Amino acid sequence: MKIPQLNLLAPALFAALLAGWPAQAQGADIAQADRTAKIIYIGTAHFGVTLQAGSDGRLYQVPSPRPLSVPAGGGKLDRETEFHPPFGDGFISEPAVQATHADGNNSTDLIFVTNQSTALDANITLTRIELKDRYYPFFVTLCLKAYHDQDVLEQWTEFHHDEDGAVTLFRFASSSSVIQSNEYWLTQLHGDWASEGNMEEDKLGMGMTILDSKIGVRAGRFRTPSFLLSVHNPAREESGEVYGGSLEWSGSFQFAFDVNWQGQLRVLCGINPFASQYPLARGQVLKTPAMLWTWSDAGKGQVSRNLHRWARLYGVRDAAQPRPIVLNNWEATGFNFTEPRIVSLFDGARELGADLFLLDDGWFANKYPRNNDGAGLGDWQVNTNKLPHGLSYLAGEAKQRGIRFGIWLEPEMVNPRSELYEQHPDWAMAEPHRAPEVSRNQLDLDLTRPEAREFAWKAIDNTLGSNPGISYLKWDANRYVTQPGSTYLKPGEQSRLLIDYNFALYDIMARMASNYPNVTAMLCSGGAGRADYGALKYFHTFWPSDNTDPLHRVFIQWGFSQFFPACALSDHVTKMGNRPFKFTLDVALSGTLGLDLDVAKMTAAERKATTAAIVLYKQSLRDIVSQGDLYRLDSPYDQPRSAISYVTPDRARAALFVYQIKDAADQPVMLRGLDPAAKYLLREVNLPDGAVSRLPADGKTLDGAALMRDGLAPICQKQFESAVLELTRQ
Ligand code: DGJ
């Protein structure tokens, strides 16, 4: 590490406040402000941010220690490096804050008032920086949480005012950082249904580049709210300066990258202001979602490891708990099942060694039965034709076979063909004088309406509460918003719907997690429509895609691994793509293993292989994969194979996964992250029944240093060959 502190102005966080306090500042808070020179630095082990107040009273980001255009230590500062610039006071680039005040004045002029840092524990420090309009009682609090050991900074903004009437917020960024370099390379994860997590890297040109989602719900239909930003060069895996960013928000988001005439890059991150101007009543607080930033000068590999370590401690629910092996019926049956058929699938799940059977869509609604996606959403009573004995009976049958039972719900949605819609058509989002625009034959409930919000919560609470045998929930959300209108909100409040929807959603998710702490939860939204740290704190895993063809999953899992740890990705073995079964198993083994199979349709060899893979996973792979550090060794984007490894934090054990995606000559895989001074016993695992490893290294003990320097040949040459190796320190 070259610079153990921040060069970034980058993810800006921290603060240095300087002296020279603004004589023209008005208001009691400002008059009492500490005017002595001081510097506030907010930093983690390897990165941070320095801020200072200029002689004009504004708060600036100081691009230390790199030689930049801004002189550190006060004096006249460049407005382009203002930390959280508003619109209307002379700042001419894209602002972080834009408001119309209660008297109609649409300019804002923010000056620094005070700051406070509090150590929340040995690892986390929270800094709150108060800004105030120079004239109006309009307050912006910049909140920065530094996670020292994980090199992660989390930033959000709180708005409130004491003006005589509502203030309307037009821009309300969570973070607004400035980075200085000669080149900027941006990687996004764009997506569509069954095609999530696609990595694309582009060089930023002059002016604005926007990555966003505008659709309120199921944001991943556009892209995942995360990015990598490499400076100087395209991002490399294990070298070079790279920033990682991820917004903790499931709704519309915007990342705006603005390269100015000086070559400085401002990165504005937060809720998308599109169709979302926010009326703020006197005394009300708008707390924006937190933006996560990390940085490394050791490439995007370390950026991912930072985020994964943070996520396992703070970002994903119960990340230390082993995830159950789920067998889901969606690909085996779709909507077409009966009670005996489901019970027969339990036997298969038990035979294979799964821990839990997950009953997917199609189990509910009677007047408009849920036999396809055209009816029934909202009528959360068990369908008595399909399942005459109810859910608790099924849970009991599962228990008798030694497995747990889980259920699918889509609590935010309604089909127009449903009793719910017949009784409460006004609970669905809609625009007056417009025909309701359905997607997958359904509409979004308006969660700002208290009755609809309570209804969505009761869909969960009644299902779980009255069937205590259910210990797993798959929460789906299959459409986005195209008509963000509410019959509950007043005409002047309509534009807050997309924002308040997501706050209401988190309220329900939080109730789910706190009321049902023992129910494992999977986040799904028509595939990975929701893959974000806003929701993941309430969920154990997310569903990366309905595309379970392992060839595509290699890429999808590679993409999501940039930001999310393997313990958060549900990776199921299915028959999609009809790939060689070992390849299918090996791909799923590198994440949170699950199954979506009809056991009766499997060959004896496939059953045996699956059972053995589950035993292997539970005995030795699961803890390495879910708690280890990820090293991405060969990228499927530019090599004929993908290779990844996980190494336990103490470097005592590792697992290597190699997937050949095109025919090519065998090449050694260079391992990383091992203890160079240690010796490791290598063992190829997940071999087909009776097969003997062809790897010369199998069963040998090799030096960590040699494995990282010379690599090891996985003997994979033909498309769909694959290998899994365990390394154990001797
Ligand atoms: C979309 C999900 O991604 C699928 O796994 C499945 O649950 C269907 N919805 C059910 O409608």
Side-chain angles (χ1 to χ4, degrees), residues 330 360-361 408 440 474 476 478 524 526-527 543 546:
W330 179 243
D360 211 285
D361 198 353
W408 176 98
R440 209 196 190 209
K474 176 179 180 182
D476 207 346
N478 280 288
C524 174
W543 181 235
D546 280 352

PDB file of all heavy atoms in Angstrom, residues 330 360-361 408 440 474 476 478 524 526-527 543 546, ligand 1:
ATOM      1  N   TRP A 330     -39.746 -24.732  -8.532  1.00  0.00           N
ATOM      2  CA  TRP A 330     -40.225 -23.878  -9.624  1.00  0.00           C
ATOM      3  C   TRP A 330     -39.895 -24.452 -10.993  1.00  0.00           C
ATOM      4  O   TRP A 330     -40.752 -24.550 -11.869  1.00  0.00           O
ATOM      5  CB  TRP A 330     -39.661 -22.461  -9.464  1.00  0.00           C
ATOM      6  CG  TRP A 330     -40.081 -21.539 -10.561  1.00  0.00           C
ATOM      7  CD1 TRP A 330     -39.271 -20.926 -11.467  1.00  0.00           C
ATOM      8  CD2 TRP A 330     -41.409 -21.121 -10.872  1.00  0.00           C
ATOM      9  NE1 TRP A 330     -40.013 -20.148 -12.317  1.00  0.00           N
ATOM     10  CE2 TRP A 330     -41.336 -20.249 -11.981  1.00  0.00           C
ATOM     11  CE3 TRP A 330     -42.675 -21.394 -10.330  1.00  0.00           C
ATOM     12  CZ2 TRP A 330     -42.453 -19.654 -12.560  1.00  0.00           C
ATOM     13  CZ3 TRP A 330     -43.797 -20.810 -10.908  1.00  0.00           C
ATOM     14  CH2 TRP A 330     -43.687 -19.946 -11.997  1.00  0.00           C
ATOM     15  N   ASP A 360     -42.752 -22.890  -4.395  1.00  0.00           N
ATOM     16  CA  ASP A 360     -42.725 -21.607  -5.105  1.00  0.00           C
ATOM     17  C   ASP A 360     -44.145 -21.163  -5.440  1.00  0.00           C
ATOM     18  O   ASP A 360     -45.134 -21.595  -4.828  1.00  0.00           O
ATOM     19  CB  ASP A 360     -41.828 -21.756  -6.356  1.00  0.00           C
ATOM     20  CG  ASP A 360     -41.130 -20.467  -6.736  1.00  0.00           C
ATOM     21  OD1 ASP A 360     -41.802 -19.576  -7.282  1.00  0.00           O
ATOM     22  OD2 ASP A 360     -39.916 -20.340  -6.480  1.00  0.00           O
ATOM     23  N   ASP A 361     -44.253 -20.304  -6.394  1.00  0.00           N
ATOM     24  CA  ASP A 361     -45.497 -19.678  -6.839  1.00  0.00           C
ATOM     25  C   ASP A 361     -46.559 -20.730  -7.178  1.00  0.00           C
ATOM     26  O   ASP A 361     -46.237 -21.817  -7.643  1.00  0.00           O
ATOM     27  CB  ASP A 361     -45.146 -18.866  -8.100  1.00  0.00           C
ATOM     28  CG  ASP A 361     -46.193 -17.830  -8.435  1.00  0.00           C
ATOM     29  OD1 ASP A 361     -47.253 -17.800  -7.785  1.00  0.00           O
ATOM     30  OD2 ASP A 361     -45.928 -17.047  -9.361  1.00  0.00           O
ATOM     31  N   TRP A 408     -43.093 -19.333  -0.972  1.00  0.00           N
ATOM     32  CA  TRP A 408     -42.905 -18.168  -1.857  1.00  0.00           C
ATOM     33  C   TRP A 408     -44.035 -17.171  -1.604  1.00  0.00           C
ATOM     34  O   TRP A 408     -45.202 -17.555  -1.449  1.00  0.00           O
ATOM     35  CB  TRP A 408     -42.948 -18.664  -3.299  1.00  0.00           C
ATOM     36  CG  TRP A 408     -42.872 -17.634  -4.401  1.00  0.00           C
ATOM     37  CD1 TRP A 408     -41.756 -17.282  -5.094  1.00  0.00           C
ATOM     38  CD2 TRP A 408     -43.947 -16.872  -4.969  1.00  0.00           C
ATOM     39  NE1 TRP A 408     -42.079 -16.340  -6.066  1.00  0.00           N
ATOM     40  CE2 TRP A 408     -43.416 -16.067  -6.006  1.00  0.00           C
ATOM     41  CE3 TRP A 408     -45.314 -16.784  -4.706  1.00  0.00           C
ATOM     42  CZ2 TRP A 408     -44.191 -15.201  -6.783  1.00  0.00           C
ATOM     43  CZ3 TRP A 408     -46.076 -15.911  -5.473  1.00  0.00           C
ATOM     44  CH2 TRP A 408     -45.516 -15.130  -6.494  1.00  0.00           C
ATOM     45  N   ARG A 440     -46.485  -8.564 -16.486  1.00  0.00           N
ATOM     46  CA  ARG A 440     -46.746  -9.923 -16.000  1.00  0.00           C
ATOM     47  C   ARG A 440     -48.152  -9.998 -15.392  1.00  0.00           C
ATOM     48  O   ARG A 440     -48.382 -10.620 -14.363  1.00  0.00           O
ATOM     49  CB  ARG A 440     -45.690 -10.371 -14.990  1.00  0.00           C
ATOM     50  CG  ARG A 440     -45.484 -11.890 -14.995  1.00  0.00           C
ATOM     51  CD  ARG A 440     -44.756 -12.412 -13.785  1.00  0.00           C
ATOM     52  NE  ARG A 440     -44.398 -13.810 -13.966  1.00  0.00           N
ATOM     53  CZ  ARG A 440     -44.280 -14.682 -12.969  1.00  0.00           C
ATOM     54  NH1 ARG A 440     -44.445 -14.304 -11.732  1.00  0.00           N
ATOM     55  NH2 ARG A 440     -43.956 -15.922 -13.222  1.00  0.00           N
ATOM     56  N   LYS A 474     -39.232 -17.056   0.393  1.00  0.00           N
ATOM     57  CA  LYS A 474     -38.700 -16.445  -0.835  1.00  0.00           C
ATOM     58  C   LYS A 474     -39.630 -15.280  -1.172  1.00  0.00           C
ATOM     59  O   LYS A 474     -40.808 -15.489  -1.459  1.00  0.00           O
ATOM     60  CB  LYS A 474     -38.685 -17.467  -1.976  1.00  0.00           C
ATOM     61  CG  LYS A 474     -38.231 -16.900  -3.324  1.00  0.00           C
ATOM     62  CD  LYS A 474     -38.220 -18.016  -4.390  1.00  0.00           C
ATOM     63  CE  LYS A 474     -37.790 -17.527  -5.754  1.00  0.00           C
ATOM     64  NZ  LYS A 474     -37.831 -18.600  -6.781  1.00  0.00           N
ATOM     65  N   ASP A 476     -40.633 -12.433  -3.555  1.00  0.00           N
ATOM     66  CA  ASP A 476     -40.484 -12.101  -4.975  1.00  0.00           C
ATOM     67  C   ASP A 476     -41.149 -10.752  -5.263  1.00  0.00           C
ATOM     68  O   ASP A 476     -41.978 -10.254  -4.459  1.00  0.00           O
ATOM     69  CB  ASP A 476     -41.164 -13.211  -5.795  1.00  0.00           C
ATOM     70  CG  ASP A 476     -40.587 -13.384  -7.186  1.00  0.00           C
ATOM     71  OD1 ASP A 476     -39.845 -12.497  -7.639  1.00  0.00           O
ATOM     72  OD2 ASP A 476     -40.890 -14.414  -7.822  1.00  0.00           O
ATOM     73  N   ASN A 478     -42.215  -9.100  -9.087  1.00  0.00           N
ATOM     74  CA  ASN A 478     -41.998  -9.352 -10.512  1.00  0.00           C
ATOM     75  C   ASN A 478     -42.312  -8.198 -11.451  1.00  0.00           C
ATOM     76  O   ASN A 478     -42.304  -8.403 -12.655  1.00  0.00           O
ATOM     77  CB  ASN A 478     -42.797 -10.584 -10.938  1.00  0.00           C
ATOM     78  CG  ASN A 478     -42.073 -11.863 -10.557  1.00  0.00           C
ATOM     79  OD1 ASN A 478     -41.071 -12.216 -11.154  1.00  0.00           O
ATOM     80  ND2 ASN A 478     -42.552 -12.530  -9.522  1.00  0.00           N
ATOM     81  N   CYS A 524     -35.763 -12.018  -3.933  1.00  0.00           N
ATOM     82  CA  CYS A 524     -35.889 -12.315  -5.357  1.00  0.00           C
ATOM     83  C   CYS A 524     -36.763 -11.228  -5.959  1.00  0.00           C
ATOM     84  O   CYS A 524     -37.654 -10.704  -5.305  1.00  0.00           O
ATOM     85  CB  CYS A 524     -36.551 -13.691  -5.522  1.00  0.00           C
ATOM     86  SG  CYS A 524     -36.926 -14.146  -7.224  1.00  0.00           S
ATOM     87  N   GLY A 526     -38.085 -11.270  -9.697  1.00  0.00           N
ATOM     88  CA  GLY A 526     -38.034 -11.712 -11.088  1.00  0.00           C
ATOM     89  C   GLY A 526     -36.600 -11.957 -11.483  1.00  0.00           C
ATOM     90  O   GLY A 526     -36.103 -11.390 -12.444  1.00  0.00           O
ATOM     91  N   GLY A 527     -35.879 -12.804 -10.717  1.00  0.00           N
ATOM     92  CA  GLY A 527     -34.416 -12.906 -10.819  1.00  0.00           C
ATOM     93  C   GLY A 527     -33.812 -11.880  -9.881  1.00  0.00           C
ATOM     94  O   GLY A 527     -34.321 -11.635  -8.791  1.00  0.00           O
ATOM     95  N   TRP A 543     -31.524 -14.053  -5.189  1.00  0.00           N
ATOM     96  CA  TRP A 543     -31.617 -14.967  -6.326  1.00  0.00           C
ATOM     97  C   TRP A 543     -31.011 -14.271  -7.540  1.00  0.00           C
ATOM     98  O   TRP A 543     -31.561 -13.301  -8.046  1.00  0.00           O
ATOM     99  CB  TRP A 543     -33.089 -15.321  -6.561  1.00  0.00           C
ATOM    100  CG  TRP A 543     -33.353 -16.272  -7.686  1.00  0.00           C
ATOM    101  CD1 TRP A 543     -34.178 -16.073  -8.752  1.00  0.00           C
ATOM    102  CD2 TRP A 543     -32.831 -17.600  -7.836  1.00  0.00           C
ATOM    103  NE1 TRP A 543     -34.193 -17.165  -9.565  1.00  0.00           N
ATOM    104  CE2 TRP A 543     -33.361 -18.129  -9.022  1.00  0.00           C
ATOM    105  CE3 TRP A 543     -31.940 -18.386  -7.088  1.00  0.00           C
ATOM    106  CZ2 TRP A 543     -33.041 -19.409  -9.484  1.00  0.00           C
ATOM    107  CZ3 TRP A 543     -31.635 -19.661  -7.548  1.00  0.00           C
ATOM    108  CH2 TRP A 543     -32.185 -20.155  -8.725  1.00  0.00           C
ATOM    109  N   ASP A 546     -33.081 -16.026 -13.033  1.00  0.00           N
ATOM    110  CA  ASP A 546     -33.845 -17.205 -13.447  1.00  0.00           C
ATOM    111  C   ASP A 546     -33.089 -17.987 -14.509  1.00  0.00           C
ATOM    112  O   ASP A 546     -33.512 -19.078 -14.889  1.00  0.00           O
ATOM    113  CB  ASP A 546     -35.219 -16.794 -13.992  1.00  0.00           C
ATOM    114  CG  ASP A 546     -36.192 -16.501 -12.863  1.00  0.00           C
ATOM    115  OD1 ASP A 546     -35.870 -16.761 -11.693  1.00  0.00           O
ATOM    116  OD2 ASP A 546     -37.295 -15.988 -13.151  1.00  0.00           O
TER     117      ASP A 546
HETATM  118  C1  DGJ B   1     -39.691 -15.058 -10.661  1.00  0.00           C
HETATM  119  C2  DGJ B   1     -38.609 -15.771  -9.889  1.00  0.00           C
HETATM  120  O1  DGJ B   1     -37.355 -15.287 -10.289  1.00  0.00           O
HETATM  121  C3  DGJ B   1     -38.733 -17.261 -10.124  1.00  0.00           C
HETATM  122  O2  DGJ B   1     -37.681 -17.933  -9.456  1.00  0.00           O
HETATM  123  C4  DGJ B   1     -40.067 -17.746  -9.657  1.00  0.00           C
HETATM  124  O3  DGJ B   1     -40.174 -17.588  -8.254  1.00  0.00           O
HETATM  125  C5  DGJ B   1     -41.169 -16.971 -10.356  1.00  0.00           C
HETATM  126  N1  DGJ B   1     -40.984 -15.561 -10.236  1.00  0.00           N
HETATM  127  C6  DGJ B   1     -42.530 -17.347  -9.799  1.00  0.00           C
HETATM  128  O4  DGJ B   1     -43.520 -16.617 -10.342  1.00  0.00           O
END
